[in-house]
């Protein structure tokens, strides 16, 4: 087995960041295409391989796992998780994808990089081919370091784009404390469901602004709701690591069953109070839902059902003063937390641009 000393690798990576420069040859262009591509795992595999080879000339950059330890195989997963991941977190957030455990994903769970590895046809398969082509050309530590510096150059650019993506910048220059502007913004943006992402972001930000720093507001990715045993509702609110209450947010038609199911989760978490907030254009059987809420309320759990607009009006009234700049900044911060889709981030910014029209 060809060992890669993590302390030495960390020093090599830091130096490559300082000396980062773009290489615009065939290999450099392929590296650029992978680091700007949509497949996050391949980004981590590439940079890990370049760093490993730059640190120890004896390693095989196509290696993913130690295996029998022969042929330059090394522990790529450990190198990535001990050096690459913390480096990205501290130095260049967002440059590779902000993954805490990238080598746990399927493309990294093979002994070696090979075209025989299971991969989806089309763009993913082409990216695997490009990755193998790059690493077959990396036959010395000197060459590996040259292209590691080029990779770091692209990572710096990715980081800058990541920061800009979640930043208001000069989109909203108005800092006047006109609460009506925020309500006008909410009226407009709630016309766009964005696959259910908009309303939870609004609720999360208004809760955060209302509660202040003493509380932690944790929205969850709408496509992964319930994926973690620690999740209760779409938005969970904590104080001193203790769950205070949860909020369910629906931006599509729902039924009495949906309400009962949400409340059953809240009750399992020993909550006596919860919120169920629904979108602007949502339909439901009012008689059935209100009857269910009355029944459950008399059993000891009070769930407040209200529309997103009524909820927003109440919270904005509680805040008394609120700037559109702060509100949009908060939406973007929570967009980052739930890994919102690019289309959702775009609509947040687009509406902010013309809210004063």
């Amino acid at each position: 087995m060809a060992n890669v000393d993590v302390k030495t690798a960390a020093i090599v990576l830091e130096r490559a960041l300082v000396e980062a420069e773009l290489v615009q040859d065939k290999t450099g262009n392929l590296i650029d295409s992978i680091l700007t591509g949509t497949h996050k795992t391949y980004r981590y595999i590439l940079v890990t391989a370049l760093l490993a080879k730059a640190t120890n000339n004896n390693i095989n950059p196509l290696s993913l796992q130690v295996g029998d330890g022969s042929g330059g195989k090394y522990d790529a997963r450990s190198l990535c998780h001990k050096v690459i991941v913390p480096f990205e977190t501290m130095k260049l957030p967002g440059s590779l994808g902000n993954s805490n455990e990238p080598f746990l994903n399927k493309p990294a769970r093979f002994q070696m990089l090979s075209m025989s590895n299971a991969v989806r046809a089309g763009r993913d398969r082409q990216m695997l081919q490009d990755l193998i082509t790059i690493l077959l050309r990396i036959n010395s530590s000197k060459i590996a370091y040259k292209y590691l510096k080029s990779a770091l150059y692209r990572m710096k650019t990715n980081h800058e784009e990541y920061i800009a993506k979640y930043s208001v910048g000069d989109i909203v220059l108005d800092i006047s404390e006109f609460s009506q502007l925020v309500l006008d913004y909410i009226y407009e943006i709630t016309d766009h469901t964005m696959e259910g992402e908009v309303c939870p972001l609004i609720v999360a930000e208004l809760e955060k602004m209302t509660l202040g720093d003493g509380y932690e507001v944790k929205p969850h990715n709408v496509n992964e709701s319930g994926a973690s045993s620690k999740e209760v509702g779409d938005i969970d609110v904590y104080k001193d690591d203790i769950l205070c209450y949860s909020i369910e947010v629906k931006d599509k038609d729902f039924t009495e069953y949906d309400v009962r199911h949400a409340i059953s989760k809240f009750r399992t978490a020993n909550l006596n109070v919860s919120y169920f907030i629904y979108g602007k254009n949502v339909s439901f059987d009012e008689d059935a839902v209100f009857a269910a809420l009355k029944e459950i309320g008399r059993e000891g759990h009070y769930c407040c059902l209200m529309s997103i607009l009524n909820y927003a009006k109440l919270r904005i009234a509680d805040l008394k003063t609120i700037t559109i700049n702060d509100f949009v900044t908060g939406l973007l911060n929570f967009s980052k937390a739930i890994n919102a889709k690019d289309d959702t981030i775009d609509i947040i910014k687009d509406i902010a641009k013309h809210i004063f029209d």
Side-chain angles (χ1 to χ4, degrees):
M1 171 179 154
N3 290 314
V4 180
D5 182 75
V6 294
K7 291 183 179 179
T8 303
I11 292 171
V12 171
L13 190 58
E14 291 281 356
R15 188 172 76 241
L17 176 63
V18 174
E19 300 175 359
E21 59 180 341
L22 188 63
V23 180
Q24 293 182 297
D25 58 14
K26 291 181 179 179
T27 301
N29 291 338
L30 283 178
I31 289 172
D32 225 40
S33 69
I34 289 176
L35 294 181
T36 56
T38 57
H39 206 303
K40 293 181 182 179
T41 305
Y42 285 148
R43 298 181 207 167
Y44 285 98
I45 291 175
L46 171 60
V47 177
T48 300
L50 291 174
L51 176 60
K53 188 68 175 179
T55 305
N56 184 344
N57 190 62
N58 294 323
I59 73 101
N60 182 346
L62 293 174
S63 175
L64 294 173
Q65 297 181 19
V66 176
D68 61 9
S70 63
K73 295 177 183 176
Y74 74 106
D75 189 353
R77 178 179 179 274
S78 290
L79 179 62
C80 181
H81 291 183
K82 291 179 180 179
V83 179
I84 300 294
V85 169
F87 173 85
E88 179 190 16
T89 301
M90 295 176 64
K91 300 287 186 177
L92 300 173
S95 59
L96 293 176
N98 283 341
S99 175
N100 290 325
E101 296 278 350
F103 268 65
L104 293 184
N105 296 326
K106 189 173 181 179
R109 294 166 68 181
F110 296 94
Q111 288 280 320
M112 304 276 289
L113 286 170
S114 167
M115 290 308 298
S116 64
N117 293 354
V119 65
R120 289 181 296 186
R123 181 60 189 146
D124 283 0
R125 187 167 185 80
Q126 181 59 53
M127 199 168 294
L128 174 59
Q129 177 67 72
D130 291 344
L131 180 57
I132 292 172
T133 298
I134 292 166
L135 298 180
L136 285 173
R137 295 173 181 173
I138 308 299
N139 53 28
S140 73
S141 291
K142 182 178 180 180
I143 293 174
Y145 186 66
K146 169 186 174 181
Y147 288 111
L148 178 63
K149 291 190 295 181
S150 188
L152 264 295
Y153 184 95
R154 169 49 62 187
M155 287 172 63
K156 288 170 70 174
T157 303
N158 285 356
H159 167 66
E160 291 166 0
E161 292 173 353
Y162 174 80
I163 296 299
K165 176 179 178 179
Y166 296 106
S167 172
V168 174
D170 60 358
I171 292 173
V172 183
L173 296 177
D174 192 279
I175 58 171
S176 56
E177 295 180 337
F178 295 151
S179 299
Q180 184 62 44
L181 283 174
V182 176
L183 185 60
D184 291 346
Y185 179 91
I186 291 172
Y187 261 88
E188 185 165 350
I189 198 169
T190 48
D191 283 333
H192 309 269
T193 65
M194 308 314 292
E195 298 183 38
E197 288 186 336
V198 164
C199 281
L201 289 171
I202 291 170
V203 173
E205 177 55 18
L206 287 175
E207 287 298 299
K208 181 177 182 299
M209 297 182 97
T210 301
L211 295 170
D213 294 335
Y215 291 80
E216 182 182 12
V217 178
K218 297 183 69 172
H220 307 296
N221 190 312
V222 295
N223 295 315
E224 299 173 3
S225 182
S228 168
S229 60
K230 295 181 180 180
E231 297 178 15
V232 179
D234 292 319
I235 300 167
D236 297 324
V237 178
Y238 293 85
K239 183 176 177 62
D240 299 326
D241 294 326
I242 298 173
L243 181 65
C244 299
Y245 60 92
S246 284
I247 305 173
E248 193 78 2
V249 185
K250 290 283 187 188
D251 206 359
K252 60 182 179 181
D253 295 350
F254 62 90
T255 65
E256 173 195 350
Y257 169 80
D258 295 318
V259 174
R260 288 185 179 274
H261 177 66
I263 294 175
S264 70
K265 294 187 297 179
F266 301 149
R267 296 178 79 172
T268 300
N270 296 317
L271 295 174
N272 295 321
V273 177
S274 61
Y275 293 88
F276 193 109
I277 298 171
Y278 56 90
K280 185 194 291 186
N281 300 308
V282 165
S283 317
F284 62 96
D285 184 334
E286 293 189 11
D287 290 340
V289 167
F290 287 130
L293 290 174
K294 179 179 179 180
E295 172 194 329
I296 294 168
R298 290 186 172 185
E299 293 173 354
H301 182 96
Y302 180 79
C303 181
C304 181
L305 179 90
M306 69 177 82
S307 73
I308 184 67
L309 296 180
N310 284 338
Y311 163 82
K313 290 174 184 177
L314 287 171
R315 283 293 184 249
I316 291 172
D318 289 339
L319 287 165
K320 295 182 176 60
T321 57
I322 178 174
T323 73
I324 188 71
N325 196 311
D326 288 345
F327 182 70
V328 174
T329 297
L331 291 183
L332 292 173
N333 286 336
F334 276 124
S335 296
K336 185 193 305 182
I338 69 166
N339 194 26
K341 297 176 182 63
D342 287 347
D343 287 346
T344 301
I345 295 166
D346 288 343
I347 202 70
I348 289 171
K349 290 185 173 183
D350 288 346
I351 293 175
K353 286 178 183 177
H354 63 77
I355 194 64
F356 303 103
D357 293 348

